[in-house]
Amino acid sequence: MSVSPASHTAQTGSLLQPSPKGQELRNRVRAFLEQHVAPAFKTFEEQVAKDRWAAPPIVDEIRAKAKAAGLWNLFLPDVSGLSVLDYAFIAEETGRYMPLGPEAFNCQAPDTGNMETIHLYGSPEQKKTWLEPLLEGKIKSCFAMTEPDVASSDATNMQCSIVQEGNQYVINGKKWWTSGAGHPLCKVAVLMGKTGDSKMPRHRQHSMILVPMDAPGVKVVRALTVFGYDDAPHGHCEVHFTNVRVPVTNMLLGEGRGFEIAQGRLGPGRIHHCMRLIGMTEKALEAMCERAAKRRPFGKRIIEQEVVQHDIAEARMALEQARLLVLKAAHMIDTVGTKKARKEIAMIKVIAPRVAVRIIDRAIQVHGGAGVCQDFFLAGMYAGARSIQIADGPDEVHLTAVAKMEIMDQLKKAKM
């Protein structure tokens, strides 16, 4: 039983669809993924196994082909000419081939968020030094925000200090879950730290600054694992910053503007994450159906068991609901802006990983022991999806945000 990768595309009907340009690029991306990315996974895994923290040559080969084909930096509207909604459909396609799918087109996190940040808030000098080589794919970046010594789900807790001394800032602190820091081409960190004192408003005490990874005092201490996966050569690292000095010109937008920048970068980034998750989950559902159709315990195929049929039905319904909500959020960012789409953006950050985790879990169950071993992609997929319920703010933070906005809307409606 084979299921076409495009089989779900008509199910969104005419409610929210890409532009003609977006659809044309989506078709080209899908064809590229099938022709160049899917066959490369075996080579990629072999090359990473030989040297986990080196850049696999196969990735550079794929990226060169994508760049030559004009399938490059599709995530950035000012470069690609695509809307956020257009790119959402493309992100879903790349999500079916994690981690190589986004990487092929220079659309991998956290580089996308960092490039968008520098594009929106960087000075001409910062853009020339860091944005241009990132857009060209010559270097990579990481995002240093979460800290091991404080409850980072409340980002105002962050203690990494950024203190001005003359024409330099001195940075001291520990960061972890600094995704991308393990890659040999990672040359710059977008770091969020504390510049203000406790007398200032809580959301004006932190700033974002560009830190070269080769600056004296920057030390990548270790690669963290996600359910045992190190995600090499990308890596999620603990990084220490000890008396790191950078020019004052490395500050993004200005002191105390960190949360303002964070809100600006998170909207489109969450669309990308959520649509990739939906692509991943479509692949898991396909695998679930294929396995259930082939295996025959107790005299009949697994797919004939009513409980499995119900799991399949629940999966399809949940995926359609999640996709439509994410597409609505993308459309709102395009039409009314990120600020007015805040509630929808928070909602999808809860819904998409929740749906993914549930469906991937059921796919693992249908696969039995094969589902949790290295012979299939489901265990790694589950690890990635489950971690998203914590990364970029845990579900509970987003649920609280949704509740506050909903209560405010309801009270306003009731004129209370």
Side-chain angles (χ1 to χ4, degrees), residues 117-390:
T117 295
I118 301 171
H119 174 72
L120 291 174
Y121 305 109
S123 67
E125 179 187 349
Q126 291 168 350
K127 290 177 181 178
K128 183 172 182 58
T129 303
W130 302 114
L131 180 59
E132 289 182 12
L134 281 166
L135 287 170
E136 291 170 8
K138 293 180 178 179
I139 66 170
K140 292 183 178 295
S141 63
C142 59
F143 185 59
M145 184 170 181
T146 305
E147 298 181 7
D149 296 331
V150 298
S152 298
S153 56
D154 178 356
T156 63
N157 282 336
M158 288 183 297
Q159 294 301 306
C160 178
S161 64
I162 306 173
V163 178
Q164 185 171 357
E165 291 186 4
N167 61 355
Q168 293 181 321
Y169 282 107
V170 182
I171 302 164
N172 281 283
K174 297 178 183 178
K175 297 288 185 178
W176 71 343
W177 297 110
T178 306
S179 296
H183 200 283
L185 290 179
C186 181
K187 302 301 182 183
V188 63
V190 177
L191 179 142
M192 190 157 173
K194 193 169 185 177
T195 48
D197 58 42
S198 57
K199 296 177 183 177
M200 299 176 67
R202 291 180 73 204
H203 290 91
R204 293 284 293 174
Q205 295 178 20
H206 293 81
S207 308
M208 286 196 190
I209 194 166
L210 298 167
V211 183
M213 291 298 286
D214 61 358
V218 177
K219 183 180 180 181
V220 178
V221 176
R222 58 174 176 152
L224 304 166
T225 60
V226 181
F227 291 105
Y229 294 92
D230 62 11
D231 289 343
H234 176 73
H236 311 284
C237 300
E238 180 173 344
V239 185
H240 293 182
F241 300 84
T242 306
N243 294 322
V244 178
R245 292 180 175 271
V246 301
V248 293
T249 52
N250 282 25
M251 180 65 67
L252 282 163
L253 198 57
E255 287 191 18
R257 311 287 292 274
F259 283 98
E260 180 183 344
I261 296 171
Q263 289 304 310
R265 71 175 269 157
L266 285 178
R270 285 179 182 154
I271 300 294
H272 306 168
H273 272 309
C274 290
M275 289 304 285
R276 283 194 295 264
L277 277 169
I278 288 170
M280 284 171 50
T281 310
E282 284 284 356
K283 186 175 180 179
L285 177 57
E286 290 171 14
M288 177 182 178
C289 292
E290 289 191 17
R291 183 78 169 184
K294 291 175 180 176
R295 296 296 207 181
R296 186 182 291 273
F298 308 110
K300 64 179 179 180
R301 295 182 303 164
I302 294 174
I303 208 165
E304 295 170 29
Q305 299 283 355
E306 190 173 34
V307 65
V308 175
Q309 293 175 356
H310 287 184
D311 280 342
I312 292 168
E314 293 281 1
R316 173 49 58 203
M317 291 187 290
L319 268 170
E320 294 305 312
Q321 292 173 70
R323 180 184 291 109
L324 284 172
L325 184 57
V326 180
L327 294 178
K328 177 190 176 186
H331 178 65
M332 289 183 69
I333 292 173
D334 285 330
T335 55
V336 297
T338 301
K339 188 173 182 179
K340 291 186 178 179
R342 283 183 305 164
K343 183 160 67 173
E344 285 72 15
I345 292 168
M347 289 161 65
I348 64 173
K349 178 56 179 61
V350 176
I351 291 295
R354 179 184 288 177
V355 166
V357 166
R358 166 66 182 171
I359 294 171
I360 296 167
D361 178 76
R362 299 318 299 164
I364 289 172
Q365 193 71 15
V366 165
H367 280 72
V372 295
C373 80
Q374 70 269 35
D375 290 357
F376 288 79
F377 55 80
L378 292 168
M381 186 181 281
Y382 181 89
R386 180 62 183 84
S387 67
I388 295 295
Q389 292 186 288
I390 300 170

Side-chain angles (χ1 to χ4, degrees), residues 33 37 41 93-107:
L33 289 165
V37 176
F41 270 88
E93 299 293 341
T94 65
R96 298 175 56 84
Y97 299 91
M98 295 294 289
L100 293 183
E103 180 90 18
F105 311 109
N106 207 37
C107 293

